[in-house]
Each structure stands twice: as structure tokens, then as C-alpha cells.
Amino acid sequence: MKFFIDSANLEAIREVKAMGMCDGVTTNPSLMAKEGRTDTDALLKEICAIAQGPVSGEVTALDAAGMIEEGKRLAALDDHMVVKVPTTYEGLKAIAALSGEGIPVNATLVFSTNQCLLVAKAGAAYVSPFVGRLDDVGEDGMDLIADAVEIYQNYDLETEIIVASVRSPMHVADSALLGADIATIPPDVIKKLVAHPLTDKGLAGFMKDWEKLQGGTGS
Ligand code: G3P
């Protein structure tokens, strides 16, 4: 399973890339706003330079014509750019048009099985079901991932499934067990993935015994 980093923070992306855990990056208007930079195109280009993999930048127009125009501008920023389009009626038209021109599209804000089917039929390169936000409203977000995996297998659809709105290490493990193509993970969750209390406890024990040996107090 590929790991994308769900962040627009350059330092965080650099750190995860250096760890070998960054196959791409996803951003959205909220993540961009967190960085407080108004030169968003320049920021996306810097992210592409670090990631050296697919980088999703989201359109902000609400009508198909505006999304298509914005999507083409975003795609031209860098070869790694993927255009993120919200899964609305207008968005579907934009997904079909941009995909038809060979521009990779990430269909975002996906919350239902039918939306997964529609965006794949429209030619989206990626689909982003938001599992955390479904959990927030009392549904099981991972059920939607299971549905998407099954439907795409049933019909040999090539759209890659990006598990988005990931909030916890369990979302990542469950994504891998279900066979999702990608999980886009916030940097703080990446850190949690490696942590285990028994690793820390075991290491502390080893270090204590090692120090005893170095001090000559070992038997
Ligand atoms: O990838 C989508 C993500 O940025 C949304 O996450 O935590 O705001 O639901 P969240």
C-alpha cells in the first residue's frame, strides 16, 4: 500500500520523505490555509519537488467550467500534479472532461458507494473516500472502503482508492487489510504508526543492561 502525506507543511513532508514513507501528497483548501501562504501555486510546486510523486491540489470553483479551467492551470504547474475535484454533479462533469484530456483527477469528498462508482466511470485516476468523517457521523468509514475495493474488482475499474480523512493507526492497518491502494495520512498519525509501548519498554531494558555491562557491574 502506498502512503501519501495529507499535509501542505513542507517540513513535515520532507521529514516523512526522508523516512521513505512518502509516495505522494494530498492537500485541500483547509490544509493549504493552515500554512498561511497566499502563493499557493508556488507552495504546490515546492511540495512536488520534495514528494517526487503524485501531489493533489484542489480546485475551488463550484461550476464545471470553472473547475476545468482551474484544473488545467493546476495540472500545468508540475508533472506530478493531480487535480482534486469535489464529487458533486458539476464535479462529475469536470472529472470526465479533465480525465478525458489525460489529466489525473482525484475525486474528493466521497461518502457513498454510488459516488465511488460514478467517479470511476467518469475516469478519475483516484477516489478519496473520507473514512474519519463518516465515523464522526456514526457510520463505519471502512465499510465504504470495502465496498469500493469490491466494486472496482468486480468491473476491473482502474481508479486507485485513496483512504482519506485518516485519523488513527487502525484506519491505516484496516486499509491495508482491505487492499486499498493508498492511505493518505496526516504526519502525526505517521508518527503513531511506529510507536509501541513494548518497543519502548524493551529498549529501556536493553539499554539498562548495556550500561551495567559498560560499568563493569554485570556478572
Ligand atoms: O484527505 C482528506 C482530509 O484532509 C480530511 O481529513 O481529518 O479533516 O476529515 P479530516
Side-chain angles (χ1 to χ4, degrees), residues 68-209:
I68 293 165
E69 188 186 334
E70 207 178 340
K72 285 184 184 171
R73 187 181 55 72
L74 288 171
L77 291 176
D78 191 285
D79 285 348
H80 292 109
M81 282 302 299
V82 172
V83 178
K84 219 174 182 190
V85 176
T87 306
T88 59
Y89 194 82
E90 289 297 300
L92 265 190
K93 296 183 207 169
I95 292 168
L98 291 166
S99 303
E101 291 197 27
I103 294 173
V105 173
N106 176 358
T108 190
L109 288 166
V110 166
F111 295 97
S112 78
T113 305
N114 280 331
Q115 286 177 321
C116 291
L117 181 58
L118 288 169
V119 300
K121 284 178 70 64
Y126 304 94
V127 61
S128 288
F130 276 34
V131 296
R133 292 192 191 186
L134 281 169
D135 293 352
D136 287 345
V137 295
E139 294 184 39
D140 186 343
M142 297 313 297
D143 284 351
L144 180 55
I145 302 302
D147 283 356
V149 168
E150 187 176 339
I151 288 173
Y152 289 5
Q153 275 172 2
N154 284 348
Y155 298 103
D156 287 331
L157 295 167
E158 286 176 6
T159 305
E160 289 190 78
I161 300 168
I162 304 180
V163 181
S165 185
V166 163
R167 305 273 176 76
S168 72
M170 279 314 293
H171 279 149
V172 179
D174 288 342
S175 301
L177 286 166
L178 288 169
D181 302 285
I182 301 153
T184 188
I185 311 170
D188 64 310
V189 176
I190 292 271
K191 284 189 184 145
K192 288 182 192 165
L193 294 180
V194 71
H196 198 288
L198 290 179
T199 305
D200 296 341
K201 191 179 168 198
L203 185 59
F206 289 158
M207 291 303 101
K208 203 170 155 203
D209 290 340

